[in-house]
Amino acid sequence: MMIRAWHIPEHELEWIAIRSSGPGGQHVNKVATGLHLKFDIGASGLPGALKQRLRALSDSRITRDGLIVIKSTGFRSREMNRQEALERLDQLLQEAQRVRKPRKKTRPTRASVRRRLDTKRRHGDRKRSRKPVDF
């Protein structure tokens, strides 16, 4: 099983057939075309750094135990749902591999500070002018 740059053996992926919701009439009640893809991060052959990044992602599809669960029920055929689940796993792996540049601290320019304060003052003046006049 090739998912872009990662080779994930088929035995590391667990597929569970489930009934899909949505349109389909009586056919939907008797055929399990939806799929749950389960992938254990810890037991996989992925590099250690990628495993850590995967666990660090704040994604609802990743459990505390390091198990990725992807539910795919968008199509009426099991093969199409299988492809969709693999694409979502690939996107998750790509997101984990992307290295983000650290943010540099910057100070606002003097002109931007002056503009902000001028805007605040004008806004306050406008609100003050709406008050009833007190003699």
Side-chain angles (χ1 to χ4, degrees), residues 2-39:
M2 269 303 275
I3 298 182
R4 297 219 187 196
W6 307 276
H7 178 75
I8 297 178
E10 189 65 37
H11 71 271
E12 290 184 3
L13 302 175
E14 182 184 347
W15 297 97
I16 300 170
I18 58 171
R19 287 195 181 147
S20 294
S21 61
Q26 293 177 355
H27 181 71
V28 122
N29 298 326
K30 56 188 176 181
V31 180
T33 56
L35 288 171
H36 271 169
L37 166 61
K38 292 187 178 184
F39 177 68

Side-chain angles (χ1 to χ4, degrees), residues 68-84:
I68 297 175
V69 181
I70 297 174
K71 181 180 179 181
S72 177
T73 60
F75 298 97
R76 289 189 183 186
S77 78
R78 190 176 292 166
E79 189 52 41
M80 293 285 284
N81 283 327
R82 179 183 165 89
Q83 287 301 321
E84 182 188 29

Side-chain angles (χ1 to χ4, degrees), residues 6 41 46-56 93 96-97 99:
W6 307 276
I41 297 170
L46 295 174
L50 184 59
K51 287 181 185 182
Q52 286 179 337
R53 285 196 188 124
L54 269 172
R55 284 195 184 105
L93 291 171
Q97 193 176 35
V99 178

Side-chain angles (χ1 to χ4, degrees), residues 97-127:
Q97 193 176 35
R98 189 176 337 121
V99 178
R100 289 162 186 86
K101 289 194 304 186
R103 181 186 178 277
K104 291 181 183 176
K105 285 187 175 180
T106 59
R107 293 189 64 175
T109 63
R110 193 175 295 156
S112 69
V113 170
R114 188 178 304 121
R115 280 192 304 267
R116 181 179 63 85
L117 293 175
D118 286 346
T119 306
K120 282 180 70 166
R121 185 183 42 74
R122 277 194 310 265
H123 188 66
D125 290 345
R126 187 181 310 134
K127 289 177 140 280

